[in-house]
Amino acid sequence: MNDAESSETDKSERDPRFCSMPKEALEELAVSAIQEHRRLLAADEAVYEEWTRASGDPSVSSDVLANLQDEYIARQKKSEAQQEELSQIIDALGYIPDVPLDDAN
């Protein structure tokens, strides 16, 4: 596939609702999506850490471990979907806006 074909494919896969938005609204949406992505990553990391901690604790039941694993996998799927939407927003915007870190980070 040459670059022109690749570019056409990329354009056809873009979400039209983002491409038709005004740049200012799109930038606001991108900032919000980046902040949400950061929150999801932090929450995912907390669940992962709990799961790995529990995995090393022989007093934790296999049911609890399975629940933690299931929750982590479900969170990963949600994060993947949110990341895909964020990618489409940034593609439509054409750049990654500056987003300051939260004070809590």
Side-chain angles (χ1 to χ4, degrees):
M1 180 183 295
N2 67 33
D3 288 342
E5 290 172 348
S6 176
S7 179
E8 277 303 310
T9 301
D10 290 346
K11 288 178 184 175
S12 67
E13 292 176 1
R14 288 185 183 162
D15 193 321
R17 66 187 162 146
F18 299 132
C19 293
S20 63
M21 290 179 73
K23 199 145 200 106
E24 296 79 21
L26 200 52
E27 185 169 338
E28 280 184 35
L29 188 60
V31 168
S32 177
I34 290 168
Q35 291 169 333
E36 175 65 12
H37 185 67
R38 290 175 180 172
R39 284 189 291 274
L40 286 174
L41 287 176
D44 292 352
E45 185 176 339
V47 171
Y48 179 77
E49 288 173 1
E50 179 63 18
W51 175 34
T52 55
R53 185 205 57 76
S55 296
D57 185 345
S59 68
V60 176
S61 73
S62 60
D63 287 343
V64 170
L65 287 175
N67 285 339
L68 286 168
Q69 181 179 13
D70 291 346
E71 181 179 351
Y72 180 71
I73 291 169
R75 286 176 168 278
Q76 288 296 291
K77 289 178 183 177
K78 181 178 179 181
S79 289
E80 182 180 345
Q82 195 274 340
Q83 174 65 43
E84 179 60 34
E85 183 173 280
L86 174 57
S87 178
Q88 291 177 4
I89 293 166
I90 289 172
D91 283 350
L93 183 59
Y95 63 94
I96 300 171
D98 289 330
V99 181
L101 294 176
D102 293 339
D103 290 336
N105 289 340

